[in-house]
């Protein structure tokens, strides 16, 4: 009898967690819908079913994850600053063709666990000056850089630490893997 009660308690806790996550996603998708439709009330005839379907699909495809609100807010200035810096860097190189560059590919061994944190990292790498994610492998991220002579690895390591804090996870210890900076 006691094991059945504890099972129900565990199941209730699990359902409560999933309900809160689903509710948060409904609110997030509804907010996106309001932004896309510029707040048009007439759009909700189509928007309400779309928000519900998007929520259901996201609950199936994207498993629940933890995200730190404080570290997410701290990420915003980092994102804005590096986006501006990256845009200015690329524009400067494009407008001044005499600037020497040494483009190449770098294999960056990821210490983040597989999942949404790695995908977020891969998508965010492109905001760093002169970098673009090329391939997200099993345990590495291939990055195209405009100038392999610059210290891109420290920026990638900093970004990885910030992403780990955002998702409340610790970085895996490397297995002696070192970043391969060879130009491919």
């Amino acid at each position: 009898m006691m094991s059945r009660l504890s099972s129900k308690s565990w199941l209730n806790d699990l359902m409560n967690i999933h309900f809160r996550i689903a509710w948060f996603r409904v609110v997030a998708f509804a907010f996106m819908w309001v932004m896309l439709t510029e707040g048009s009330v007439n759009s909700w005839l189509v928007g309400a079913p779309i928000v519900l379907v998007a929520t259901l699909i996201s609950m199936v495809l994207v498993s629940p994850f933890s995200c730190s609100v404080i570290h997410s807010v701290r990420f915003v200035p980092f994102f804005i600053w590096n986006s501006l810096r990256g845009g200015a860097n690329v524009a400067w190189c494009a407008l001044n063709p005499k600037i020497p560059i040494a483009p190449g590919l770098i294999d960056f061994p990821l210490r983040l666990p597989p999942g949404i944190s790695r995908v977020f990292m891969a998508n965010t790498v492109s905001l760093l000056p002169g970098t673009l994610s090329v391939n997200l492998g099993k345990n590495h991220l291939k990055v195209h850089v405009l100038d392999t002579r610059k210290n891109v690895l420290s920026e990638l390591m900093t970004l990885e630490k910030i992403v780990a804090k955002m998702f409340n996870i610790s970085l895996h210890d490397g297995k002696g893997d070192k970043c391969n900076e060879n130009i491919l």
Side-chain angles (χ1 to χ4, degrees):
M1 180 77 169
M2 187 62 151
S3 65
R4 289 180 67 192
L5 289 176
S6 62
S7 308
K8 287 182 180 180
S9 175
W10 176 82
L11 182 61
N12 287 338
D13 289 345
L14 182 65
M15 293 301 289
N16 191 17
I17 290 168
H18 281 286
F19 179 76
R20 282 186 286 159
I21 292 167
W23 182 246
F24 175 77
R25 291 182 186 186
V26 165
V27 171
F29 287 128
F31 179 73
M32 285 188 258
W33 184 260
V34 168
M35 299 306 292
L36 288 171
T37 62
E38 298 176 352
S40 172
V41 176
N42 297 333
S43 72
W44 282 103
L45 185 61
V46 174
I50 288 176
V51 165
L52 293 175
V53 168
T55 301
L56 289 173
I57 291 172
S58 76
M59 292 298 289
V60 170
L61 296 179
V62 180
S63 60
F65 58 89
S66 175
C67 190
S68 166
V69 174
I70 293 171
H71 287 101
S72 296
V73 169
R74 288 181 181 167
F75 176 76
V76 172
F78 173 83
F79 177 84
I80 292 170
W81 171 248
N82 282 292
S83 294
L84 293 171
R85 219 171 56 123
N89 185 330
V90 171
W92 184 253
C93 289
L95 295 173
N96 297 304
K98 292 182 182 179
I99 293 177
I101 59 172
L105 295 173
I106 294 175
D107 278 327
F108 180 73
L110 290 167
R111 297 176 294 163
L112 292 167
I116 195 149
S117 61
R118 280 191 180 184
V119 173
F120 186 84
M121 165 86 177
N123 289 331
T124 308
V125 161
S126 299
L127 76 89
L128 296 174
T131 60
L132 178 69
S133 294
V134 176
N135 183 27
L136 178 57
K138 185 175 181 181
N139 291 316
H140 75 281
L141 177 64
K142 191 171 292 269
V143 180
H144 179 271
V145 295
L146 281 180
D147 197 344
T148 55
R149 297 170 297 186
K150 293 185 178 177
N151 189 7
V152 178
L153 294 178
S154 65
E155 290 186 28
L156 292 174
M157 291 171 83
T158 299
L159 177 61
E160 188 178 39
K161 288 176 188 173
I162 290 170
V163 170
K165 286 180 181 178
M166 280 181 62
F167 287 96
N168 294 323
I169 53 178
S170 58
L171 297 173
H172 292 306
D173 290 339
K175 301 172 190 168
D177 292 337
K178 294 183 180 175
C179 291
N180 176 9
E181 288 192 38
N182 295 332
I183 298 173
L184 301 174

